[in-house]
Amino acid sequence: MLTVFMTKAKAKIEHLGDSGVDIVESSGRLGVFLFNTLSRLWMYRFPLEETIKQLLFIGARTVPLILISGLFTGMVIALQFYDTLIRFGSVDLLGAAVAMSLIRELGPVMAALMVIARVGSATCAEIGIMRNEQQFDALDCMAIDSYHYVMLPRLLAAIVSVPLLTAMFDTFGIGGGYIVGVLIHGVSDGAFLVGMADTIVWNDVWMGIVKSFLFGLVIMSVCLSKGFYLHIEQKQSGAVGVSQATTQAVVLSAVLMLFVDYIVSSLML
Amino acid sequence: MTSSNKNIIEVNNLVTHYGDRQILNGIDFSVEKGEIRVIMGGSGSGKSTLLNHMLALLTPTSGSIVIDNVDVVNANRKTLLKLRQKMGVAFQGGALFSSMTVGENIKLPLQHHTKLDEHTIDIMTRLKLELMNLAGFEDLMPSELSGGMLKRAGLARAVIMDPKLLFFDEPSAGLDPVTAVELDELILKLRDAMNMTIIVVTHELESAFKIADRITVLFDGEIAITGTVDEIKNSKDVRIQNMINRRARDEHLDADEYIKRLTTGKN
Ligand SMILES: Nc1ncnc2c1ncn2[C@@H]1O[C@H](COP(=O)(O)OP(=O)(O)OP(=O)(O)O)[C@@H](O)[C@H]1O
Ligand SMILES: [Mg+2]
């Protein structure tokens, strides 16, 4: 009995290292991937046309989702803050509280989550299928650089559009807060708006911009590289491999995004 | 070096691995300019592996690969890019980009590597589509094409830059006999009209005998024979006779051993 337990425990311990090696390997790959992609910025001409195409896909088509989720997020946090603030008799702070939490924290994080759901998963699946169907081999053989032609435009589009989407999320969120606070619960609209304008300083906005910029970078590079390295990282090939890679990409980009969120907050607060 | 002038491809003592498994065991392989060379061999014998190494998509364990006087194993990126503009590759499934129309796929190399204006590019694209019997399909998406059409579209893309060297993986696999014959004719036409050197990987004996100048047969990661169609047909090698006469591998099997293999999964 004891020996069985010992062998099992030993096997477990022996394999502890494996996942460690996996983590180191895949973060190494992510780093190399990011470096290769960004290095194409000065190695080739700027991929303007492709980037605009991707901006349309990543940015423009995500707008409706961002607007709706922004509105509801703003409404629900206004409701929660109202319920808390009224106990202290300070509902005048509602505008400031809603705007502050949106601009610094919720806006970037929620917008990033929406981008992961709407764009990250689709991108990873698309790239993974391209890998499966030898489309990257074909690009190599045509002497067309995959990093320059496929990866860079998507990365740039994400870096540009996530901050913009975040700004829209914030705006609609504040609008939602205004609806709940001022129109539904009768907080004075002067207090709501002036309180907000007085409290928010440039540093808060700057923090939101830095975060959303980094989120765009993290999300897109994880999702792209998970698809691109499908043939190396996934045990199964074919449809199963693509679905596993996509799941991993969504989970990893969400977790990394929150990690970066904490780092940036702690550095900037 | 006179031989390197005559041979456009020179592979010497190529050894390759996937992980720990050795796939090619020291292959010597050379192709002359203007030749149509067919690579044959059983499933899993390493044909695609050899092809991928010649395309510099994989790095060998040891050995050398020289294509058009370029050592592709040690070439830097720039040299490789230059070389690849002179090579065309038609992949087994076509490997067209699913987000672009057939026409956009085919003109992609021209847009990237030439300074021709859009109009000229369009004309050249249509020319190649005509050649492949695909006229009128340029605005369809790859998902709207049949398997045989995808293959021909892939071939159109491979030859759009008029390469010196064309690689073609399994041109006739999964095609109806008429289309397969058409594709063979096309390969011959490409060589005669443009003096291309063409490497074809195929399973189809009939097609191989029809198009090949010489045939190389791979078995288990080794070259069994390289020769003209007649030399292959007259070969005394049992494995090759089996292949030609479509006989199953006659493995001598002991009944006990067979039972053991089925029950334990081990030899
Ligand atoms: N990506 C890979 N990873 C690991 N092993 C591989 C890989 N690709 C091929 N192999 C192995 O290498 C050997 C040769 O494969 P290869 O694809 O070259 O065969 P092939 O001659 O092209 O066969 P087919 O006619 O079926 O296409 C096979 O045993 C296969 O299992
Ligand atoms: Mg093969």
Side-chain angles (χ1 to χ4, degrees):
Chain A
M1 189 64 210
L2 190 65
T3 48
V4 172
F5 176 76
M6 289 293 283
T7 359
K8 276 198 174 162
K10 207 169 138 221
K12 280 253 161 58
I13 291 166
E14 275 170 357
H15 284 284
L16 267 182
D18 290 358
S19 50
V21 170
D22 277 354
I23 291 172
V24 172
E25 265 184 7
S26 62
S27 24
R29 262 195 297 269
L30 184 62
V32 170
F33 177 84
L34 198 55
F35 174 80
N36 277 339
T37 306
L38 292 177
S39 69
R40 266 48 179 184
L41 264 179
W42 60 85
M43 284 168 60
Y44 293 92
R45 68 172 181 81
F46 189 82
L48 188 64
E49 208 177 308
E50 276 298 304
T51 307
I52 291 173
K53 232 194 239 173
Q54 290 303 322
L55 272 174
L56 186 70
F57 174 68
I58 298 176
R61 294 205 203 142
T62 316
V63 168
L65 175 66
I66 288 289
L67 298 188
I68 293 171
S69 53
L71 189 71
F72 285 123
T73 307
M75 287 170 76
V76 80
I77 55 173
L79 200 59
Q80 294 284 2
F81 270 126
Y82 179 80
D83 190 59
T84 312
L85 289 173
I86 203 162
R87 297 178 202 183
F88 303 104
S90 42
V91 284
D92 286 354
L93 291 176
L94 185 64
V98 169
M100 185 83 95
S101 45
L102 273 172
I103 289 173
R104 274 195 192 171
E105 194 57 56
L106 278 172
V109 169
M110 291 294 293
L113 285 175
M114 294 299 147
V115 170
I116 292 176
R118 164 77 175 71
V119 179
S121 54
T123 304
C124 179
E126 186 191 351
I127 301 290
I129 288 170
M130 286 178 74
R131 168 62 74 193
N132 262 350
E133 291 184 350
Q134 284 192 295
Q135 294 182 21
F136 288 113
D137 291 344
L139 276 175
D140 280 350
C141 290
M142 285 189 273
I144 297 175
D145 190 282
S146 311
Y147 292 106
H148 175 245
Y149 185 65
V150 180
M151 304 303 168
L152 188 59
R154 288 163 213 261
L155 195 63
L156 291 175
I159 291 174
V160 173
S161 47
V162 174
L164 292 176
L165 291 170
T166 303
M168 291 180 206
F169 189 98
D170 291 347
T171 314
F172 265 65
I174 291 169
Y178 186 89
I179 293 174
V180 168
V182 178
L183 301 184
I184 299 180
H185 285 289
V187 177
S188 105
D189 79 337
F192 189 93
L193 294 174
V194 174
M196 187 168 82
D198 283 350
T199 320
I200 305 294
V201 291
W202 171 240
N203 196 39
D204 300 322
V205 179
W206 182 233
M207 186 196 261
I209 295 175
V210 170
K211 278 184 180 176
S212 55
F213 172 84
L214 288 175
F215 291 172
L217 185 76
V218 166
I219 292 169
M220 205 31 104
S221 46
V222 168
C223 292
L224 288 171
S225 76
K226 275 285 168 195
F228 192 63
Y229 293 124
L230 182 92
H231 59 309
I232 303 176
E233 291 184 349
Q234 304 305 326
K235 290 197 184 71
Q236 275 124 316
S237 61
V240 183
V242 173
S243 85
Q244 282 171 350
T246 309
T247 311
Q248 289 172 13
V250 167
V251 171
L252 185 63
S253 53
V255 172
L256 263 185
M257 185 266 288
L258 291 171
F259 175 70
V260 170
D261 186 32
Y262 176 75
I263 300 289
V264 175
S265 300
S266 64
L267 288 178
M268 290 184 75
L269 277 178
Chain B
M1 287 222 287
T2 45
S3 70
S4 70
N5 283 335
K6 203 167 121 208
N7 290 340
I8 193 163
I9 299 181
E10 283 251 13
V11 176
N12 279 314
N13 201 11
L14 183 69
V15 177
T16 76
H17 288 81
Y18 282 117
D20 295 333
R21 256 179 76 210
Q22 184 162 341
I23 306 296
L24 299 180
N25 322 321
I27 287 211
D28 295 311
F29 178 83
S30 61
V31 178
E32 284 178 22
K33 273 181 193 153
E35 182 181 4
I36 297 183
R37 170 67 61 87
V38 170
I39 302 176
M40 301 191 72
S43 198
S45 57
K47 303 182 296 290
S48 299
T49 308
L50 176 60
L51 195 68
N52 286 337
H53 278 90
M54 288 193 285
L55 299 174
L57 295 172
L58 299 172
T59 319
T61 317
S62 67
S64 75
I65 303 170
V66 177
I67 295 182
D68 203 16
N69 296 324
V70 175
D71 173 3
V72 297
V73 179
N74 301 307
N76 61 16
R77 246 176 40 91
K78 272 230 173 85
T79 329
L80 212 50
L81 284 182
K82 270 231 184 79
L83 176 68
R84 278 171 165 168
Q85 293 185 31
K86 295 187 265 179
M87 302 183 355
V89 186
F91 285 91
Q92 190 164 354
L96 298 185
F97 302 109
S98 32
S99 57
M100 300 177 195
T101 65
V102 175
E104 285 167 348
N105 261 290
I106 292 171
K107 59 175 91 145
L108 195 64
L110 284 179
Q111 285 171 334
H112 269 258
H113 299 307
T114 67
K115 294 206 161 56
L116 300 172
D117 61 293
E118 264 313 300
H119 188 61
T120 319
I121 290 183
D122 281 343
I123 292 177
M124 293 178 72
T125 307
R126 262 181 239 126
L127 256 164
K128 290 293 191 282
L129 281 166
E130 291 282 350
L131 189 66
M132 305 297 155
N133 277 334
L134 282 173
F137 291 103
E138 62 202 86
D139 291 328
L140 293 188
M141 300 305 278
S143 57
E144 295 169 300
L145 298 191
S146 72
M149 288 158 87
L150 279 175
K151 248 178 214 163
R152 280 180 283 151
L155 183 57
R157 187 176 66 181
V159 297
I160 188 81
M161 298 274 288
D162 293 336
K164 283 168 89 166
L165 190 56
L166 175 67
F167 294 88
F168 203 165
D169 199 357
E170 307 268 354
S172 36
L175 294 187
D176 68 273
V178 178
T179 319
V181 169
E182 278 173 8
L183 216 52
D184 290 345
E185 303 277 340
L186 206 59
I187 290 173
L188 288 169
K189 199 154 79 179
L190 282 174
R191 195 267 305 269
D192 296 337
M194 312 203 204
N195 200 23
M196 278 181 202
T197 308
I198 304 178
I199 317 288
V200 178
V201 172
T202 186
H203 281 297
E204 305 289 322
L205 276 169
E206 214 176 305
S207 137
F209 287 162
K210 181 168 173 196
I211 60 177
D213 292 317
R214 284 192 289 169
I215 299 178
T216 293
V217 185
L218 279 182
F219 273 109
D220 297 331
E222 275 165 28
I223 290 183
I225 185 175
T226 294
T228 60
V229 173
D230 286 335
E231 283 167 0
I232 300 288
K233 281 183 178 161
N234 298 328
S235 163
K236 297 273 181 301
D237 193 323
V238 201
R239 296 172 301 180
I240 289 168
Q241 281 308 318
N242 284 348
M243 184 182 83
I244 293 175
N245 301 319
R246 301 171 187 279
R247 259 195 309 251
R249 265 169 288 203
D250 83 281
E251 282 178 65
H252 185 73
L253 215 51
D254 181 86
D256 289 339
E257 213 172 86
Y258 183 61
I259 298 280
K260 190 173 147 224
R261 190 153 95 195
L262 286 183
T263 47
T264 63
K266 286 186 204 115
N267 267 319

